């Protein structure tokens, strides 16, 4: 049987490569290492990523903290008002 690419029974000539020409990948970053070496690599990568972090200054940190606290207080007030309203509505409807 033959199709547009070639014979199903016979592989194409470009697919036939001698075993000596095939590249085998040995080593590299994903080579099998011991669990302690992998753990050490993991911690080295963590430290390298933490060095890239841009830490906020003290004034930025105070501003961000204040904004978060104010937002949380506003949301607590909003949820309290909605809960109070729904409580009264349920008491009115169900007696």
């Amino acid at each position: 049987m033959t199709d547009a690419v070639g014979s199903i029974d016979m592989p194409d000539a470009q697919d036939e490569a001698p075993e000596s020409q095939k590249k085998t990948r040995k080593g590299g970053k994903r080579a099998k290492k011991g669990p302690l070496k992998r753990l050490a690599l993991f911690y080295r990568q963590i430290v390298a990523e933490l060095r890239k972090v841009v830490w906020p200054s003290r004034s930025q940190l105070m501003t961000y903290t204040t904004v978060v606290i104010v937002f949380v207080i506003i949301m607590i007030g909003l949820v309290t008002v909605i809960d109070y309203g729904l409580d009264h509505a349920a008491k009115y409807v169900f007696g």
Side-chain angles (χ1 to χ4, degrees):
M1 229 187 240
T2 304
D3 57 2
V5 176
S7 173
I8 294 175
D9 298 330
M10 298 284 295
D12 293 336
Q14 63 203 18
D15 291 341
E16 295 177 11
E19 291 296 320
S20 62
Q21 290 181 355
K22 289 186 180 180
K23 293 183 179 180
T24 58
R25 185 174 176 183
K26 293 183 181 177
K29 289 185 178 180
R30 295 184 173 247
K32 282 284 190 180
K33 297 178 183 176
L36 291 178
K37 287 185 179 182
R38 288 185 302 195
L39 188 62
L41 174 65
F42 177 69
Y43 282 116
R44 280 195 307 269
Q45 290 173 344
I46 288 175
V47 170
E49 288 297 321
L50 284 175
R51 287 187 180 145
K52 296 178 188 177
V53 173
V54 179
W55 298 99
S57 66
R58 180 176 289 275
S59 65
Q60 289 174 329
L61 187 62
M62 292 301 291
T63 303
Y64 297 156
T65 304
T66 304
V67 167
V68 168
I69 290 173
V70 168
F71 178 76
V72 167
I73 289 171
I74 290 171
M75 293 307 296
I76 288 172
L78 183 65
V79 169
T80 302
V81 167
I82 291 172
D83 184 51
Y84 185 75
L86 289 175
D87 180 47
H88 280 289
K91 285 181 183 178
Y92 177 75
V93 171
F94 297 111

